[in-house]
Amino acid sequence: MDDGANPIAPAEGGPLRIEATTGITGYRLRRAQLAVFQRFLAVFDSVTLRPAEYSVLVLIADNPGRKQTEIAEVLGIKRANFVTLVHGLENRDLVERLPLASDRRANALHLTQTGAAFLARIRLMHEGMEEDVVRRLGGPDARDQLFALLDRLT
Amino acid sequence: MDDGANPIAPAEGGPLRIEATTGITGYRLRRAQLAVFQRFLAVFDSVTLRPAEYSVLVLIADNPGRKQTEIAEVLGIKRANFVTLVHGLENRDLVERLPLASDRRANALHLTQTGAAFLARIRLMHEGMEEDVVRRLGGPDARDQLFALLDRLT
């Protein structure tokens, strides 16, 4: 601080110096991710669905009967958070857990009939959103380029 | 569900079908952002600093005496979350709030001497981490390309 003698800060204005902050890759990724998630939340507001819940429904639909732990691992969601998320989907009658034949201590995840119908409907909403994202990026090639760059970080 | 007659799920194995999930731009952004943040947390574990706290310290250092609300807005952090974050930094004697000369109801943010010395040290740690990120991406051009694509989403 260069105004140590004066405990009152001077009045300031004008744009902030943000170059150092916007040069942080993690910061840029976070802002872009939040922007896309906020658009998702706006689109899916009427059905009260969060992005992580959508990913879980899609993954269960494509892999019925797989272990809860497998689904959580693929998505990189911590066990405790995943259990809470699945409970929420169970309470809405979208997902059900059944004991696994090969390991009765493990739970296999399935969509319910309600869940399958719900997902069919919201997948259409999501496709519209994803098309908008690709359009903003500059087309499918730009999207592929983005995915390739992101893959180098994961 | 195609095993409605049998409440026990069949044993399954092998890799999961993840194409539909990995085609979601928000999902890919989130995974990359989490990977970078996790590396940040590992590097900054010894100084107990989170990515958002680092951004705040950098922005205050580059803009001493600016209003709390301005800093929060630039970073896109919600007011309540930002107040909590700044309190944490104040309790560690890294940041101080002073009344603004032009508007005494507003708080101006400054780094303390301790905060300035702390930031100088962790900036070096962060530079090392950022260089690693750029190397993974494939160099500065790839980083610029990534930033340009991310900007189209925000």
Side-chain angles (χ1 to χ4, degrees):
Chain A
M1 287 189 46
D2 51 11
D3 60 348
N6 181 358
I8 308 294
E12 291 219 21
L16 274 72
R17 289 185 50 208
I18 58 168
E19 315 81 50
T21 312
T22 56
I24 303 170
T25 303
Y27 174 79
R28 295 288 275 268
L29 284 169
R30 178 68 171 154
R31 293 306 296 263
Q33 175 257 313
L34 282 175
V36 171
F37 271 39
Q38 271 157 14
R39 214 166 305 137
F40 182 102
L41 290 170
V43 170
F44 283 75
D45 181 52
S46 60
V47 293
T48 325
L49 202 74
R50 290 178 295 122
E53 292 171 324
Y54 179 72
S55 300
V56 168
L57 290 177
V58 168
L59 199 58
I60 295 173
D62 286 352
N63 301 277
R66 296 298 286 253
K67 284 185 201 174
Q68 187 159 313
T69 48
E70 289 178 296
I71 301 289
E73 196 185 332
V74 164
L75 294 172
I77 303 179
K78 281 180 197 153
R79 187 181 166 76
N81 298 339
F82 190 76
V83 167
T84 306
L85 191 157
V86 167
H87 280 176
L89 297 174
E90 272 187 303
N91 289 340
R92 293 170 69 178
D93 189 28
L94 300 175
V95 163
E96 60 185 345
R97 285 181 296 161
L98 299 174
L100 201 67
S102 58
D103 177 4
R104 286 189 160 263
R105 289 161 309 173
N107 286 307
L109 296 175
H110 296 263
L111 295 190
T112 61
Q113 271 198 324
T114 307
F118 178 71
L119 182 59
R121 186 158 62 88
I122 62 174
R123 261 191 153 141
L124 294 177
M125 290 165 68
H126 186 264
E127 272 166 29
M129 206 202 100
E130 192 67 33
E131 278 166 21
D132 179 54
V133 166
V134 172
R135 199 159 36 233
R136 279 167 179 269
L137 282 171
D141 288 351
R143 191 255 327 266
D144 293 347
Q145 201 174 38
L146 174 64
F147 283 8
L149 289 164
L150 295 176
D151 280 350
R152 294 178 196 171
L153 297 173
T154 51
Chain B
M1 288 186 47
D2 50 11
D3 60 349
N6 181 358
I8 308 292
E12 290 220 23
L16 274 71
R17 289 185 51 208
I18 59 168
E19 315 80 51
T21 311
T22 57
I24 303 170
T25 303
Y27 174 79
R28 295 289 276 268
L29 286 168
R30 178 68 171 154
R31 292 306 296 262
Q33 176 257 313
L34 282 176
V36 171
F37 272 38
Q38 271 156 14
R39 215 166 304 138
F40 182 102
L41 291 170
V43 170
F44 284 75
D45 181 51
S46 59
V47 293
T48 326
L49 201 76
R50 289 178 295 121
E53 292 171 325
Y54 180 71
S55 300
V56 168
L57 290 178
V58 168
L59 199 57
I60 295 174
D62 287 350
N63 301 277
R66 297 298 287 252
K67 283 186 201 173
Q68 187 159 311
T69 47
E70 289 178 295
I71 301 288
E73 196 185 334
V74 164
L75 295 172
I77 302 179
K78 281 180 197 155
R79 187 181 167 76
N81 298 340
F82 190 74
V83 168
T84 306
L85 191 157
V86 167
H87 279 176
L89 297 173
E90 272 187 303
N91 288 341
R92 294 170 69 178
D93 189 29
L94 301 175
V95 163
E96 60 184 346
R97 286 179 297 161
L98 299 175
L100 201 68
S102 58
D103 177 4
R104 288 190 158 261
R105 288 161 310 174
N107 286 307
L109 296 176
H110 296 263
L111 295 190
T112 61
Q113 272 198 323
T114 307
F118 178 72
L119 182 59
R121 186 158 62 90
I122 61 174
R123 260 190 154 144
L124 294 177
M125 291 166 67
H126 187 264
E127 272 167 29
M129 205 202 101
E130 193 67 33
E131 278 167 20
D132 179 56
V133 165
V134 173
R135 200 160 35 234
R136 279 168 180 269
L137 282 171
D141 288 352
R143 191 255 329 264
D144 293 348
Q145 200 174 39
L146 174 64
F147 283 7
L149 288 164
L150 295 176
D151 279 350
R152 295 179 195 169
L153 296 173
T154 49

